[in-house]
Amino acid sequence: MNHPQDANRIEMFQRLRDPVHDLIEFADSPFERMIWSLLETSEFQRLRRIRQLGFSDFVFPGATHSRFAHSVGVFHTARLLCAVLKEKLGLEFNSDRADVAIAAALIHDLGHGPFSHAFEDALGRVAKHEEWTLRFIRETAVYERLNSYRAGFGEEVASVFTSETSPDVYSSVVSSQFDADRLDYMRRDRMMSGTQLGGIDFTWLVRNLEVRKIEIGSDDQQFAEVSTFVLGPKALWAGESYVLSLFHLYPAVYFHKTTRGAEKVFSLLLRGLKSRIEEGGVDQTGLSATHPLVRFIRDGSAIANYADLDDSVVWGSLAQLAQSTDPIIAESAQRLRTRTLCKAIDVRSALGNGRVDAGVEIEQRMLKFKRLWNEKVGNDQSLVHRILIDKFERSPYKRRGYETTKGGIERIHILANDVPTDLAAVSDVVRAMQPFHGYRMYVSPDDDAAKTLVQELIDEART
């Protein structure tokens, strides 16, 4: 495409249509040609077969978007943020560091397994997805593609995930309270789930970004200054909305009781599968010895075994697993196939008479409930698969202390009297936000004995 009337126009190499960002174009430049080549690797194409929100489509039928789409959106957002850096930093802009940040943003999710966190939690000894991302970068064709851009580029990108580099404004593009990852998934997950919660004023936020130096340190001692993004004073309301949006998405979408219930059933299925395979009973699982799940459970260190896993492998195996002679495996697989899930008992809410805040009274009752549970149930294996426990905690905004060297850039700063200031110190809304907690138990709708047991413990804990 030649446009002689516009000498400044950059020739496009490829383009994608995206529901969130509309047209995502790749320039005909060495760097973006390399980026496109990363998309073409089998490791990146695998992300098409891993859903961003796991089982969330059990609740939100439209939430079937993939980690492939999200990752491309993160690349696009990182590129926008680096364009802001170039504008704000002028001659101080480091294009090499920006390239590293953009490439890292694109491949940050390479290591996710099927149903992501539920998969990791169920198998226990499995490496976390961050570790697999590093291995995919260093041990596959991804490394060669990265190094095709310039010698050593692969290790530069890998270092972003190993914290071998000091935190700076370029690393904050990839990982911070205001990074490309969050800026994409908050918008994408909201759109695809159909929820009307969690909207952010993306354009206004980006237009009001500034780059300033802030102090970082450990505990109460500050020992360095780093440059990072800060919001301009006109973005106060947009900044508040950003934090509130993230806060709302967690209980409304990510921690939805049905989604979490499906994850617990999936975890139960995987634990049963793992137990049978390790005992030598593959023939009792319903799967063949060469099935990807069996091969991975037998050798979870081989990257080739992990690379063969994705959501489609799990969904495609459920019919076979439902024929397992192990009743836990068979029942769990059938529950997922037919969406016949367990029912949630919101223990925390029940202990608070319907209140879900983190008041002292609820905390005391929760401690009593857990003590009663340990005393009366303990490790009773007959109840492990009948009563599934789900507990979680989420802080909407990290604002206390300097727990790590990244403490400063893990908060959102806004200019107050031209001084970068923690958003929580300026906003009454953000300052008032408290962590939210969840504690649920899932039981089969027809298991009256299990439901009665849980209710009796709740009643006793409330007295």
Side-chain angles (χ1 to χ4, degrees), residues 119-398:
F119 182 80
E120 295 174 5
D121 294 342
L123 296 183
R125 61 179 171 79
V126 174
K128 299 299 183 183
H129 68 271
E130 294 91 349
E131 299 172 66
W132 285 112
T133 294
L134 261 179
R135 291 192 63 183
F136 276 126
I137 291 173
R138 287 174 166 156
E139 300 177 31
T140 70
V142 171
Y143 198 67
E144 179 184 345
R145 301 288 174 93
L146 289 168
N147 285 332
S148 70
Y149 177 54
R150 66 167 180 258
F153 190 65
E155 276 306 310
E156 292 178 52
V157 173
S159 71
V160 173
F161 303 100
T162 60
S163 299
E164 292 175 3
T165 56
S166 300
D168 60 14
V169 70
Y170 301 98
S171 59
S172 67
V173 168
V174 184
S175 180
S176 67
Q177 279 270 6
F178 193 78
D179 58 26
D181 182 29
R182 282 183 175 88
L183 285 168
D184 182 81
Y185 77 64
M186 289 173 67
R187 301 171 72 201
R188 188 174 302 276
D189 295 350
R190 178 179 186 266
M191 172 184 287
M192 303 309 289
S193 66
T195 180
Q196 299 306 303
L197 297 170
I200 64 173
D201 195 343
F202 176 79
T203 303
W204 189 250
L205 285 169
V206 173
R207 289 289 188 273
N208 281 277
L209 285 178
E210 300 288 342
V211 179
R212 297 295 176 87
K213 291 186 181 296
I214 62 169
E215 293 180 330
I216 62 171
S218 177
D219 298 324
D220 295 324
Q221 296 182 345
Q222 292 76 51
F223 56 76
E225 282 189 334
V226 297
S227 293
T228 190
F229 286 117
V230 302
L231 294 173
K234 293 182 180 180
L236 173 60
W237 315 127
E240 285 184 344
S241 178
Y242 174 84
V243 177
L244 281 169
S245 297
L246 188 60
F247 176 72
H248 288 149
L249 280 171
Y250 271 88
V253 178
Y254 306 137
F255 289 151
H256 191 284
K257 63 180 181 179
T258 303
T259 302
R260 298 284 287 192
E263 290 176 356
K264 291 302 170 184
V265 173
F266 178 57
S267 295
L268 182 65
L269 169 61
L270 287 182
R271 288 196 299 271
L273 193 60
K274 177 175 178 286
S275 178
R276 284 298 179 191
I277 291 171
E278 290 180 343
E279 292 170 359
V282 173
D283 57 328
Q284 300 173 39
T285 66
L287 303 179
S288 70
T290 59
H291 191 279
L293 281 170
V294 176
R295 286 192 288 108
F296 178 74
I297 290 174
R298 282 178 163 172
D299 182 4
S301 63
I303 194 168
N305 289 346
Y306 188 75
D308 282 342
L309 298 178
D310 54 50
D311 291 6
S312 64
V313 167
V314 174
W315 287 119
S317 68
L318 291 182
Q320 296 165 281
L321 291 168
Q323 301 303 313
S324 170
T325 57
D326 183 305
I328 294 177
I329 294 176
E331 180 182 344
S332 300
Q334 189 64 9
R335 283 189 181 282
L336 292 176
R337 286 188 76 201
T338 60
R339 196 186 176 279
T340 310
L341 303 176
C342 298
K343 295 298 182 181
I345 300 174
D346 192 331
V347 175
R348 189 177 185 83
S349 177
L351 290 175
N353 298 316
R355 290 163 42 223
V356 294
D357 61 289
V360 174
E361 183 181 14
I362 296 179
E363 296 307 320
Q364 291 174 341
R365 290 178 178 180
M366 277 303 312
L367 288 173
K368 185 176 180 180
F369 178 88
K370 292 174 184 178
R371 177 174 56 78
L372 290 169
W373 177 266
N374 290 330
E375 290 174 356
K376 299 187 177 184
V377 179
N379 294 317
D380 186 344
Q381 292 301 306
S382 67
L383 292 173
V384 168
H385 68 283
R386 292 172 55 200
I387 303 176
L388 308 179
I389 301 175
D390 179 34
K391 48 189 175 182
F392 53 84
E393 179 179 346
R394 178 74 187 184
S395 177
Y397 184 71
K398 300 175 183 178

